[in-house]
Amino acid sequence: MKITITICTFRRSHIATTLQSLEAMERPADCAVSVVVIDNDDTPSAQDRVANTAAAMRLPVRYLHQPGANISIARNAGLEAATTEWVAFLDDDEVVEPDWLVELVRRQRATGADAVFGPSYARYDDDAPDWIVRGDFHSQVAAPRAGVIETGHTCNALLRWCGTPWQAERFALERGKSGGEDTEFFFRLRQLGAEYAIADTAIVREDVPAARLSVTWLLRRRFRIGQSYSASAESLRQRLGLFGSSAVKAGYCALRAGVALANPERRTFWLMRGTMHSGICAGCLKLPEKALYGVQGG
């Protein structure tokens, strides 16, 4: 089993820490593992940092410079560079647990799934607001809908790649600045026959910067997630149905947020859910998506 781990980076020094965590991890039995880092900055700003880190690693690391400040361009470059049967996805601000890849592979072998998604758990500084820490609003965990895993994320995933019916598929460039390109991508692969599983024990952790410790940032992200989720509706009839149900849910969430006005944790929970459903409505209407990638605090 040959696996290429792809990591897109954009002006983050944390990429060195991410690579070091990969070097320290346990390697799955009977697996050959390599890493490709795709630098999406206009200049090769991460090249020296990646090279210096890789020099102290046994794990093979390849650096690619793919400018454009568009995450889809970088992700597609990673797919183009991958000549292995399997591709793993990781973000440049994450650290993997020692058994991360072992657990992804174990779950894939147990289920036969074409893609396996693990959780990305947030790590907060000591000065983060207590209600944000309790709510754990920044963690990303794939979840089934009505018992079915419809899509996933690229912050922690293992995907069957070479020789598949979807090997020619790529991340949508029009979503490369707004985000949600991974949600739409995995929806599309599922339409081509891909089957998914969740590996709860394949854990990565992500430090949450101060710029993201606000309700504004959380709602902006949830709205975008909603817009991306609307890709699950393929026909006009499905979009109308999804729009109607999401509009009702958004109204209900607004009422619950009003009831919880004095409780910041519960209020934010309901505001986030309502904003996501509002984003679904916007996505069903094909409204423009705001650029989030490549901006400060994005």
Side-chain angles (χ1 to χ4, degrees):
M1 189 174 186
K2 295 181 179 180
I3 304 170
T4 301
I5 301 173
T6 65
I7 311 172
C8 300
T9 190
F10 184 83
R11 301 177 186 174
R12 277 198 179 121
S13 60
H14 192 280
I15 182 63
T17 304
T18 301
L19 290 173
Q20 288 164 356
S21 74
L22 290 175
E23 175 65 14
M25 74 178 178
E26 181 182 351
R27 314 290 168 81
D30 303 321
C31 288
V33 183
S34 61
V35 180
V36 175
V37 178
I38 308 96
D39 186 352
N40 200 211
D41 199 358
D42 291 335
T43 62
S45 57
Q47 185 171 17
D48 289 346
R49 181 174 287 110
V50 171
N52 292 336
T53 307
M57 297 172 60
R58 294 169 298 161
L59 197 63
V61 178
R62 180 183 175 190
Y63 171 88
L64 297 177
H65 179 224
Q66 191 68 46
N70 180 311
I71 189 65
S72 290
I73 292 176
R75 295 205 191 286
N76 291 339
L79 293 179
E80 293 286 348
T83 58
T84 51
E85 181 187 1
W86 294 90
V87 174
F89 298 95
L90 197 64
D91 285 345
D92 63 348
D93 54 355
E94 294 175 330
V95 169
V96 305
E97 292 287 287
D99 60 351
W100 165 68
L101 193 56
V102 169
E103 289 299 299
L104 281 180
V105 170
R106 183 189 64 78
R107 182 63 172 159
Q108 189 285 318
R109 287 173 170 169
T111 62
D114 298 299
V116 181
F117 306 107
S120 175
Y121 291 127
R123 296 195 303 195
Y124 297 99
D125 288 337
D126 292 339
D127 57 353
D130 290 342
W131 62 270
I132 284 185
V133 176
R134 290 195 304 270
D136 193 22
F137 299 120
H138 295 79
S139 292
Q140 299 182 65
V141 181
R145 183 172 182 260
V148 178
I149 306 164
E150 299 177 312
T151 187
H153 48 227
T154 47
C155 62
N156 182 355
L158 177 67
L159 171 67
R160 193 189 305 271
W161 186 240
C162 285
T164 63
W166 49 84
Q167 190 177 350
E169 297 298 314
R170 295 295 183 268
F171 292 90
L173 297 183
E174 63 272 19
R175 294 181 181 270
K177 286 185 176 291
S178 61
E181 77 291 336
D182 50 353
T183 302
E184 188 275 336
F185 178 77
F186 286 113
F187 267 131
R188 195 169 358 115
L189 266 54
R190 184 170 179 269
Q191 293 165 8
L192 293 173
E195 296 183 357
Y196 302 145
I198 294 174
D200 294 324
T201 54
I203 297 169
V204 304
R205 302 190 185 276
E206 177 182 342
D207 292 330
V208 181
R212 297 184 180 184
L213 297 175
S214 70
V215 174
T216 299
W217 188 91
L218 289 168
L219 297 186
R220 185 177 65 181
R221 177 172 137 180
R222 295 302 290 184
F223 188 83
R224 189 268 295 160
I225 289 173
Q227 286 181 294
S228 301
Y229 186 81
S230 67
S232 63
E234 301 176 48
S235 66
L236 177 60
R237 181 177 180 180
Q238 288 175 324
R239 287 201 303 272
L240 290 173
L242 185 59
F243 178 91
S245 62
S246 297
V248 171
K249 291 175 182 177
Y252 173 78
C253 291
L255 291 175
R256 293 296 301 265
V259 172
L261 201 60
N263 185 325
E265 181 183 343
R266 296 306 298 168
R267 182 181 70 242
T268 302
F269 171 84
W270 286 109
L271 283 174
M272 288 173 61
R273 286 185 65 86
T275 300
M276 182 189 71
H277 289 300
S278 297
I280 293 175
C281 291
C284 289
L285 294 174
K286 303 294 185 180
L287 298 180
E289 299 187 17
K290 184 177 179 181
L292 300 179
Y293 181 76
V295 299
Q296 186 174 5

